[in-house]
């Protein structure tokens, strides 16, 4: 599907020129900073030189003091505590962080990850019963619980208290827990609302450390786990998340925890990790444990204190990831066939597909692949414990959660955010749900949103690009949602030499513009242009500027996102 090229609205010229002069940088780069809300020298300094001192006071979060006080009471009385978390990357890193941190102060501590296939997402009755049989009186729940009102009420009947550390949107009524840490609570004054679940756990550890006058290193040692969760959960990398990701990457690349180090080494890359590397290499492997076997396996690896055990556990997780790839490719092929064989499904504004035999652990990945293919809100469902359970994915700019709210009466439960959600329904409601979901999306989505777009930050000439230009861009990282790598457009280019294909799908091309230097480029998935480009026909490209390292040699490279051949 051809993408729309959308150029960002340019910021105030006077502010841009002033910032470029103060920072001694190219005007195009100053323009990008202004577009991202960085308007002064001091704001630019904070952006380019993050400090851990920029982290917000954890006690600004509603119920933080209650949470610390309840943990203090439990530790003083020798109560048994259960650290409970979801089975995805955010959940397992959250559990590893909280368990490791509080293990310093108590041996009456266990962790619990629900079985994706038997218990499903969130707080489970089985988990509460496990805590009760073990004599546990406090559960600290991470990355889940904000909508588990009935489960928390059940725990209260067993004299088990809950501290909820969640980052998902609450329902109309909050659970009756001892403390609820969630910046998305309407009554929470915490200044940053987009922490990942592991980030909430980090703030709890920070608050406990401040209360007990512990050194900052007692919680900062877990920044690598926080960074992995930020990358995997695709939360905005701005404000506090950017600071956490910045220092988390430093920790990951210099002194990662033993489990992450073993996992990194298992596929031959032990340094120079970026957010993108984490998203596409570490996160899928950690997720694979919960998808194919049990999330406990991921926590077990993250908690390893011995190199050999960590290597064994990372090997097991790599095997799970290989199985996951096979499974999701098979299910994706089946789902694509279902759609392609139905003219009704092809012509809809939504995709809702179901097969009772699909693996519950990989339907989220399949939903993402279908969204990439057809670019519309997508839900993939399978059968689980008498219900249909599914994963939903949206397109840029469309609020999926709002659409699901309109179907709430047809659902047993659902949760998530604008771009991704999980849901459960009774089998007899499938047809009605598919119709209602289609009706709501069709009436609220625009044709424009159904066409993928490339957001372009600035139009530049190739001769503006040099080593300094690239180094300043690199200092804008870590890149991710709300702080993407800047995308540029340059027009009237010609190629030098001959375009060629690498790895079956990718285009290698050397380009120049008028009297500019020659630039090497790579276009992932753009192999078709090898035969479409002509020596006498100028073209435009949109691209990012990056440093390519090959056999320890560093050189500038343009990463082409799209090409338009001039008529």
């Amino acid at each position: 599907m051809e993408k729309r090229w959308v150029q960002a609205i340019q910021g105030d010229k006077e502010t841009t020129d002033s910032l470029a002069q103060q920072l001694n940088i190219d005007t195009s780069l100053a323009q990008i900073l202004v577009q991202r809300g960085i308007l002064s020298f001091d704001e630019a300094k904070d952006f380019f030189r993050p400090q851990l001192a920029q982290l917000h006071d954890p006690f600004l979060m509603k119920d933080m003091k209650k949470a610390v006080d309840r943990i203090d009471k439990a530790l003083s009385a020798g109560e048994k505590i259960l650290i409970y978390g979801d089975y995805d990357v955010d959940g397992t890193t959250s559990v590893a962080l909280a368990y490791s941190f509080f293990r310093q102060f108590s041996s009456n501590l266990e962790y619990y990850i629900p079985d994706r296939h038997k218990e499903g997402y969130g707080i489970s009755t089985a988990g509460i019963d496990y805590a009760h049989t073990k004599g546990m009186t406090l559960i600290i729940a991470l990355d889940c619980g904000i909508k588990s009102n009935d489960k928390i009420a059940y725990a209260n009947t067993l004299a088990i208290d809950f501290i909820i550390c969640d980052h998902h949107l609450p329902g109309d009524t909050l659970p009756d827990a001892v403390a609820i840490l969630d910046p998305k609570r309407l009554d929470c004054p915490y200044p940053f609302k987009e922490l990942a679940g592991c980030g909430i756990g980090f703030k709890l550890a920070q608050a406990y450390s401040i209360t007990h006058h512990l050194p900052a290193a007692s919680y900062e040692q877990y920044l690598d786990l926080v960074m992995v969760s930020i990358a995997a959960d695709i939360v905005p990398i701005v404000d506090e998340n950017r600071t956490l990701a910045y220092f988390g990457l430093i920790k990951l690349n210099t002194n990662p925890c033993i489990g992450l180090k073993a996992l990194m080494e298992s596929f031959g890359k032990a340094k120079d990790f970026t957010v993108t590397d984490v998203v596409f290499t570490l996160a899928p492997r950690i997720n694979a444990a919960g998808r194919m076997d049990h999330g406990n396996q991921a926590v077990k690896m993250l908690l390893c204190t011995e190199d050999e055990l960590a290597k064994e556990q990372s090997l097991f997780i790599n095997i799970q990831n290989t199985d996951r790839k096979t499974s999701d490719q098979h299910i994706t092929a089946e789902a694509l066939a279902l759609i392609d064989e139905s003219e009704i499904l092809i012509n809809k504004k939504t995709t809702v597909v179901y097969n009772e035999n699909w693996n519950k652990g990989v339907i989220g990945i399949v939903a993402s692949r279908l969204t990439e293919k057809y670019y519309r809100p997508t839900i993939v469902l399978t059968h689980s414990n008498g219900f249909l359970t599914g994963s939903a994915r949206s397109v840029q700019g469309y609020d999926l959660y709002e659409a699901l709210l309109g179907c709430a009466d047809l659902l047993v439960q659902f949760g998530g955010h604008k771009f991704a959600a999980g849901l459960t329904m009774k089998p007899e409601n499938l047809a009605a749900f598919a119709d209602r979901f289609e009706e709501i999306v069709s009436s609220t989505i625009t044709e424009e949103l159904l066409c993928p777009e490339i957001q372009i930050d600035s139009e530049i000439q190739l001769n503006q690009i040099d080593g300094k230009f690239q180094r300043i861009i690199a200092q804008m990282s870590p890149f991710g949602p709300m702080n993407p790598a800047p995308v540029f457009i340059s027009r009237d280019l010609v190629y030098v030499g001959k375009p060629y294909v690498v790895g079956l799908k990718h285009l290698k091309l050397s380009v120049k513009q008028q009297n500019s230097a020659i630039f090497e480029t790579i276009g992932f998935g753009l192999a078709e242009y090898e035969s479409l480009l002509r020596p006498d026909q100028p073209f435009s490209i949109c691209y990012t500027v990056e440093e390519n390292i090959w056999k320890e040699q560093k050189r500038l490279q343009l990463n082409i996102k799209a090409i338009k051949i001039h008529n």
Side-chain angles (χ1 to χ4, degrees), residues 75 79-85 94-96 98-100 102-103 106-113 127 130-142 296 299 303:
L75 294 176
E79 291 180 58
K80 291 182 178 179
I81 303 171
L82 186 66
I83 308 294
Y84 187 111
S94 298
V95 167
Y99 182 84
S100 296
F102 288 111
R103 190 75 176 167
S106 172
S107 57
N108 289 324
L109 205 62
E110 286 191 45
Y111 64 84
Y112 187 97
I113 305 288
Y130 174 83
H132 183 57
T133 59
K134 291 280 192 172
M136 294 170 174
T137 47
L138 176 62
I139 298 177
I140 302 174
L142 299 120
N296 277 340
V299 179
L303 293 176

Side-chain angles (χ1 to χ4, degrees), residues 502-523:
V502 293
L504 299 178
K505 296 181 181 178
H506 315 309
L507 181 71
K508 284 288 285 182
L509 186 66
S510 296
V511 302
K512 65 174 296 187
Q513 180 187 48
Q514 296 164 346
N515 297 320
S516 77
I518 296 170
F519 287 86
E520 293 182 6
T521 75
I522 180 74

Side-chain angles (χ1 to χ4, degrees), residues 57-66 164-166 180-185 187-192 195 199-201 203-204 240:
D57 178 355
F59 289 99
L60 293 174
M61 198 176 293
K62 179 83 172 175
D63 280 1
M64 184 61 82
K65 186 174 187 307
K66 286 183 183 178
I164 295 171
C165 307
D166 205 350
I180 300 174
L181 308 179
D182 188 339
K184 292 190 175 80
R185 286 177 63 164
D187 60 348
C188 181
Y190 196 72
F192 183 60
L195 289 166
I200 309 286
K203 300 306 293 187
L204 177 61
E240 193 163 40

Side-chain angles (χ1 to χ4, degrees), residues 32 36 454-458 485-489 542-544 561:
I32 292 167
R36 298 183 186 192
I454 297 176
Q455 288 273 0
I456 298 166
D457 292 278
S458 183
V487 176
F488 302 98
I489 181 173
C542 56
Y543 57 92
T544 56
K561 305 301 177 185

Side-chain angles (χ1 to χ4, degrees), residues 390-451:
S391 284
R393 298 292 183 269
S394 192
V395 295
Q396 185 69 32
Y398 186 75
D399 193 332
L400 177 74
Y401 191 85
E402 279 295 317
L404 291 175
L405 270 177
C407 306
D409 58 305
L410 296 171
L411 300 173
V412 175
Q413 65 178 25
F414 71 98
H417 47 79
K418 285 183 179 182
F419 301 121
L423 61 154
T424 304
M425 72 180 78
K426 293 177 180 176
E428 59 266 28
N429 286 343
L430 176 57
F433 170 81
D435 289 344
R436 176 94 62 84
F437 186 63
E438 171 70 17
E439 181 185 323
I440 290 171
V441 173
S442 295
S443 64
T444 53
I445 201 166
T446 63
E447 288 297 326
E448 203 170 61
L449 289 179
L450 291 167
C451 179

Side-chain angles (χ1 to χ4, degrees), residues 145-209:
I146 195 63
K147 294 177 80 173
S148 299
N149 300 42
D150 56 336
K151 301 298 192 297
I152 307 302
Y154 172 61
N156 288 337
T157 67
L158 302 175
I160 298 173
D161 287 338
F162 258 90
I163 294 171
I164 295 171
C165 307
D166 205 350
H167 69 124
H168 296 100
L169 287 165
D172 294 334
T173 307
L174 294 174
D176 185 18
V178 168
I180 300 174
L181 308 179
D182 188 339
K184 292 190 175 80
R185 286 177 63 164
L186 292 177
D187 60 348
C188 181
Y190 196 72
F192 183 60
K193 305 296 184 184
E194 300 297 337
L195 289 166
C198 191
I200 309 286
F202 179 85
K203 300 306 293 187
L204 177 61
Q206 182 187 18
Y208 186 89
S209 299

